[in-house]
Amino acid sequence: MSQQRGPHRIAVIAPSPVSMFNLAIPELLFAKVRLDGTPGYEVTVCTPDPGPVATTGGLELQVSRGLEAVRAADTVLLAGTGERYAPDPRTVAAVREAAGAGKRVTSICSGAFVLAEAGLLDGRSATTYWQLADELRVRYPALDLKGDVLYVEDGQILTSSGYAAGIDMCLHMIRTDYGAATANEVARLALVAPVRPGGQTQFTHTPLPPERGTACADTRGWAMRNLDKPLTLTDLARHAGVSVRTLTRRFHAESGVSPLQWLLHQRVERARELLETTALPMDQVARSAGLGTADSLRTHLVRRTGLTPTAYRTQFSRVGTKTAAPRRGPAHRGMNPAA
């Protein structure tokens, strides 16, 4: 794995009319990554015609950089646009060239239409905002649309659904580049949910659904602080002050999964962070994450990532690295045990 000098460079393309929320996400998250006091990322917003760029909200933004920023970038991010059927040919050519050079190319919301127009989604899994899913599927039938997930990673290409799903995808990118501890710290600083990679196959990441309520928020926070303890449904219900049946109903309504599914997800995520940031023995990692034994840790981690705990630590450990450098090559292609 090669080390990179200087920050990881991200070119954010603003197609006209662009979503202001989409443009805010990279600055909100990537700008908070600092390693030994230095920035982990350098984010540049660019557009085909530098100058005023219309937004979907009827305002104009001043963008001074042109698409030459794409050639200098390590990662390219396509923001969502209100003009998804006729993307600028220069933008299409720029992202096609970036992908051909092996760069990571990503999109938020309707930005997926530009990637599809460039042919980057042919034969790949991808997603977009759910209200646009049918349009994307009909217009570009060669892609494998995953309409019910927050984001999808297939090789060097990442696509996300709309709005806050872009936050989830960017946090996943930070985790891929700099590890779980850094991504979770950025999430805390930005006051957003922690990294949610969820159940994944070799190339495709299917995160937990977005939380849709706060009635169980205190209990979720309490459980996160007590993952190393043998928590049961009864324990969770007692903390929430409700019956097990009521807890289960509310929990599923808010998080999209059952309490025990959510708890297992968080425990595996804790184990991954410990594997990345400590040299603890496997039994201790398992106990600290609430997974019990090293055998249980192995079973759940292989199911989630395709990697054994030892292989995961070998690939993603940050122990002993003074300044973490962005991961290259196979790390951008998902957790591929054959990579």
Side-chain angles (χ1 to χ4, degrees):
M1 179 176 65
S2 63
Q3 298 282 318
Q4 174 182 328
R5 294 180 180 179
H8 184 100
R9 296 162 298 182
I10 298 181
V12 181
I13 301 178
S16 180
V18 68
S19 163
M20 290 190 294
F21 183 75
N22 283 188
L23 287 182
I25 292 173
E27 192 282 328
L28 170 70
L29 300 176
F30 295 122
K32 287 181 167 55
V33 176
R34 300 191 69 81
L35 309 162
D36 295 334
T38 61
Y41 293 96
E42 177 185 294
V43 179
T44 301
V45 179
C46 60
T47 194
D49 293 308
V53 176
T55 72
T56 54
L59 302 177
E60 284 189 344
L61 297 176
Q62 190 70 24
V63 179
S64 61
R65 296 293 301 276
L67 294 178
E68 71 279 356
V70 172
R71 291 186 176 178
D74 304 302
T75 291
V76 180
L77 190 154
L78 243 300
T81 174
E83 185 54 77
R84 54 190 179 272
Y85 294 137
D88 191 299
R90 293 168 293 176
T91 300
V92 173
V95 296
R96 186 185 293 125
E97 179 182 341
K103 302 180 187 219
R104 179 171 57 186
V105 180
T106 71
S107 68
I108 299 177
C109 195
S110 57
F113 283 79
V114 180
L115 302 192
E117 184 66 23
L120 302 186
L121 303 185
D122 290 354
R124 295 184 185 271
S125 296
T127 193
T128 189
Y129 183 45
W130 65 270
Q131 286 189 326
L132 306 178
D134 288 340
E135 295 178 27
L136 185 65
R137 181 186 291 111
V138 170
R139 190 170 182 86
Y140 302 100
L143 64 83
D144 177 18
L145 185 71
K146 307 293 185 184
D148 57 350
V149 299
L150 296 181
Y151 62 90
V152 171
E153 179 177 21
D154 190 333
Q156 74 198 84
I157 309 298
L158 288 87
T159 52
S160 81
S161 179
Y163 300 103
I167 295 175
D168 290 290
M169 183 185 73
C170 289
L171 285 173
H172 168 70
M173 291 162 62
I174 294 170
R175 177 174 195 154
T176 299
D177 294 339
Y178 293 111
T182 299
N184 289 338
E185 176 62 17
V186 169
R188 285 189 287 269
L189 291 172
L191 300 178
V192 297
V195 183
R196 299 182 292 179
Q200 66 183 35
T201 63
Q202 184 172 340
F203 292 109
T204 303
H205 298 254
T206 307
L208 287 178
E211 294 175 1
R212 296 184 291 273
T214 59
C216 296
D218 287 345
T219 296
R220 287 194 294 270
W222 172 78
M224 289 289 291
R225 295 189 295 272
N226 292 276
L227 288 177
D228 59 327
K229 298 179 175 60
L231 301 178
T232 65
L233 274 175
T234 301
D235 295 328
L236 296 171
R238 183 182 299 116
H239 182 273
V242 297
S243 69
V244 169
R245 177 177 294 181
T246 298
L247 173 82
T248 301
R249 184 180 68 252
R250 290 180 180 175
F251 217 97
H252 196 282
E254 292 182 14
S255 65
V257 294
S258 72
L260 294 183
Q261 287 174 318
W262 179 89
L263 193 59
L264 177 60
H265 170 89
Q266 303 302 337
R267 283 174 165 159
V268 174
E269 289 304 295
R270 177 66 55 81
R272 290 171 68 171
E273 182 169 346
L274 291 172
L275 289 170
E276 293 179 22
T277 60
T278 75
L280 292 174
M282 296 306 174
D283 280 332
Q284 192 168 343
V285 170
R287 289 195 299 271
S288 298
L291 292 171
T293 67
D295 285 342
S296 176
L297 168 64
R298 179 187 176 92
T299 297
H300 290 296
L301 195 68
V302 168
R303 184 177 300 156
R304 180 69 57 82
T305 70
L307 296 175
T308 65
T310 299
Y312 187 91
R313 173 172 276 169
T314 298
Q315 185 169 344
F316 293 101
S317 175
R318 295 296 178 180
V319 176
T321 303
K322 182 177 180 182
T323 301
R327 291 183 172 89
R328 297 293 183 180
H332 285 171
R333 297 173 176 84
M335 295 174 187
N336 180 358

